[in-house]
Amino acid sequence: MKKFIYILSISLLLFFTFNTVTTVAQPKMYSQGFYNMKDLNLSENVSYKVQNNQPYVEGILIIIDADKKIQQLIRIPANATQIPLAPLKYDYRFIIYNNVLLTFS
């Protein structure tokens, strides 16, 4: 009886450890439009990076504060690697111009 319990417990342990599935969340891509921090799921006072995922299209990212002053204006080349952004505040608005697909990380 003890052998059966040992074999059963070892087989269950192996069964549950080998059946793990790793999942990776796909990053959200944002196209042309007007966004705020909540729309982009960004946190305040964090340095983010933006990346253009379009191979042949350049874009512009404009970041505006609550007083409607431009805080950052970034020209993003086609297939750009990650471009760093300054730390963001909660009341910032974003304008993505041109038919680009931007990813924030």
Side-chain angles (χ1 to χ4, degrees):
M1 186 71 177
K2 287 184 182 181
K3 281 186 178 181
F4 176 73
I5 293 173
Y6 289 130
I7 292 172
L8 180 65
S9 61
I10 290 173
S11 63
L12 287 175
L13 175 72
L14 292 175
F15 176 75
F16 287 118
T17 57
F18 287 132
N19 285 337
T20 58
V21 176
T22 56
T23 58
V24 177
Q26 293 292 329
K28 281 195 165 186
M29 295 184 200
Y30 299 95
S31 60
Q32 182 172 334
F34 297 91
Y35 300 95
N36 58 26
M37 293 280 286
K38 187 177 180 182
D39 295 336
L40 300 176
N41 294 324
L42 301 178
S43 299
E44 189 175 10
N45 293 326
V46 176
S47 296
Y48 286 97
K49 295 180 182 179
V50 64
Q51 180 177 356
N52 184 1
N53 297 312
Q54 293 286 59
Y56 304 110
V57 181
E58 294 181 350
I60 294 176
L61 174 65
I62 304 169
I63 301 174
I64 301 172
D65 65 4
D67 297 329
K68 296 180 179 62
K69 294 180 183 174
I70 295 177
Q71 295 299 316
Q72 286 186 335
L73 183 126
I74 303 170
R75 181 175 164 257
I76 304 172
N79 258 350
T81 58
Q82 295 183 346
I83 299 171
L85 300 176
L88 304 172
K89 295 190 179 172
Y90 188 72
D91 60 349
Y92 282 2
R93 307 265 181 204
F94 301 85
I95 300 172
I96 300 174
Y97 180 73
N98 214 349
N99 290 324
V100 294
L101 291 176
L102 299 183
T103 304
F104 293 87
S105 59

